[in-house]
Amino acid sequence: MKLDRQLSLLKHKLGKGTKTRYISISSGKGGVGKTLIAINLGEILSENGKKVLIFDGDLGLSNIHLMYGISPTKDLVDLIKGFATIEELPVKVNKNLYFISGGSGFQQLADIPRTQLSSIIMKLHEFAEENFNYVIVDTPPGLNRITIMLASSVDIPLIITTPEPTAIMDAYALIKVINKEEGIDDFYVIVNKADNSAEAKAVVESLELLAMKYTTARINYIGYLHYRKNLIRRIIDQNPIDEAFKEELRESISNLDFEIQEKEGFWSKILKKLGI
Ligand SMILES: Nc1ncnc2c1ncn2[C@@H]1O[C@H](COP(=O)(O)OP(=O)(O)O)[C@@H](O)[C@H]1O
Ligand SMILES: [Mg+2]
């Protein structure tokens, strides 16, 4: 098939909207709990027989597998380099929950030929649509192109911050860039490592004040998660599921509406943002 025709078919297919829900987990500052939240969110969403994929968007510095203590044999970088097929990537956590590791030794997205990139995107799209109800995308920290692209393409962009002023300012900076550059208005905020609800609310208020003054972004407060000393031990023991933490997260995400109207699909937006 001619390349132009192939691309236009691909765009048509991706443009129709998808049944799979995409949720990104981002932060301005590293170490705020994104990966831990991604993993626990995956557990929660997969409980009622829904199929969930956690996708490590941190190409090159991937760490989901480290939390689980499982070494994947193939990862996204292998897929990009042509050393793996998509079916080889998912690592099974349980019957309904899988993750795909980002891998290491990543080249620049810009270095990958457009045709190769569009064919990878097509495969990822089809694979996700056929096999998963939810895709949770764990993004790299900070203001980088990959995070901005992923967080502005999903159905639900979650932003994680802690009560530390630096984490709040960095979360604001990320929200501002995604709002200004990509026109995204709704952000869903979780305050992690908080002492109590008053502290978390103060964090959200300062984010709201900044957002209201300088952007058109809406800060939708989802909830907060307590600081729990024992979590560090869990990470060291590579046993990332803490029932109390998970319960709190479950309560927070009950505020989220996953039933989003049909709209342009995730991969279609990615394609556009890559200039394909
Ligand atoms: N609510 C919490 N209480 C205590 N420690 C936490 C909490 N959430 C995350 N952590 C710890 O913070 C560290 C960073 O978490 P991680 O999920 O790797 O962050 P990120 O993915 O944002 O870099 C880990 O050691 C983790 O155990
Ligand atoms: Mg992480």
Side-chain angles (χ1 to χ4, degrees):
M1 204 184 322
K2 286 253 308 272
L3 192 61
D4 286 354
R5 170 107 182 102
Q6 200 176 332
L7 260 180
S8 87
L9 268 178
L10 171 62
K11 284 178 186 171
H12 176 71
K13 203 163 175 180
L14 299 188
K16 281 194 305 197
T18 64
K19 71 165 178 39
T20 309
R21 292 288 155 242
Y22 291 83
I23 304 146
S24 62
I25 307 203
S26 313
S27 68
K29 192 170 179 288
V32 297
K34 285 183 301 299
T35 302
L36 194 63
I37 290 172
I39 286 173
N40 281 272
L41 181 61
E43 292 275 336
I44 295 167
L45 292 177
S46 68
E47 276 168 2
N48 300 318
K50 300 283 192 208
K51 298 271 191 241
V52 182
L53 176 68
I54 307 173
F55 188 94
D56 198 332
D58 202 347
L59 290 166
L61 270 179
S62 141
N63 57 17
I64 287 174
H65 66 288
L66 290 177
M67 280 215 183
Y68 276 120
I70 307 174
S71 300
T73 48
K74 304 275 180 174
D75 54 45
L76 270 177
V77 172
D78 292 320
L79 178 75
I80 292 170
K81 289 184 171 168
F83 298 154
T85 63
I86 178 117
E87 291 79 11
E88 293 177 282
L89 304 189
V91 179
K92 187 174 181 176
V93 178
N94 65 44
K95 186 158 80 54
N96 296 320
L97 181 60
Y98 293 77
F99 72 86
I100 288 183
S101 180
S104 56
F106 176 61
Q107 55 191 123
Q108 294 284 322
L109 270 184
D111 297 341
I112 307 168
R114 306 281 92 178
T115 46
Q116 191 193 343
L117 211 50
S118 63
S119 131
I120 290 170
I121 286 174
M122 185 66 191
K123 284 182 197 147
L124 287 169
H125 160 77
E126 283 183 348
F127 188 72
E129 282 297 300
E130 273 168 30
N131 298 290
F132 296 99
N133 301 99
Y134 296 103
V135 176
I136 299 168
V137 189
D138 188 13
T139 72
L143 288 173
N144 59 76
R145 293 313 322 165
I146 291 197
T147 300
I148 294 167
M149 177 174 79
L150 293 170
S152 61
S153 302
V154 292
D155 301 300
I156 300 177
L158 280 181
I159 304 286
I160 316 298
T161 182
T162 66
E164 282 175 81
T166 47
I168 302 172
M169 280 318 291
D170 291 355
Y172 165 66
L174 180 64
I175 289 171
K176 186 173 156 195
V177 170
I178 299 174
N179 173 256
K180 295 235 186 279
E181 289 186 6
E182 305 293 338
I184 302 298
D185 284 328
D186 277 303
F187 295 87
Y188 300 86
V189 172
I190 292 180
V191 182
N192 188 23
K193 307 193 191 185
D195 272 346
N196 53 52
S197 76
E199 185 182 50
K201 285 209 175 99
V203 171
V204 173
E205 273 164 24
S206 51
L207 265 182
E208 268 169 351
L209 267 178
L210 287 165
M212 220 152 59
K213 206 161 168 193
Y214 302 110
T215 75
T216 59
R218 279 184 294 271
I219 306 296
N220 300 281
Y221 177 41
I222 297 305
Y224 76 99
L225 304 166
H226 277 101
Y227 180 81
R228 293 173 193 279
K229 243 187 180 157
N230 66 321
L231 285 178
I232 312 280
R233 189 69 250 162
R234 285 204 169 272
I235 302 298
I236 295 171
D237 295 342
Q238 298 187 311
N239 175 18
I241 303 304
D242 179 273
E243 284 307 321
F245 182 79
K246 195 168 117 186
E247 236 4 85
E248 249 184 346
L249 182 62
R250 190 199 310 280
E251 211 178 302
S252 293
I253 66 152
S254 66
N255 295 323
L256 276 179
D257 179 10
F258 288 105
E259 294 311 314
I260 299 155
Q261 326 74 327
E262 279 293 289
K263 55 178 183 179
E264 190 184 2
F266 173 76
W267 297 108
S268 162
K269 292 184 200 164
I270 295 281
L271 213 56
K272 272 189 200 153
K273 281 166 194 171
L274 289 169
I276 296 174

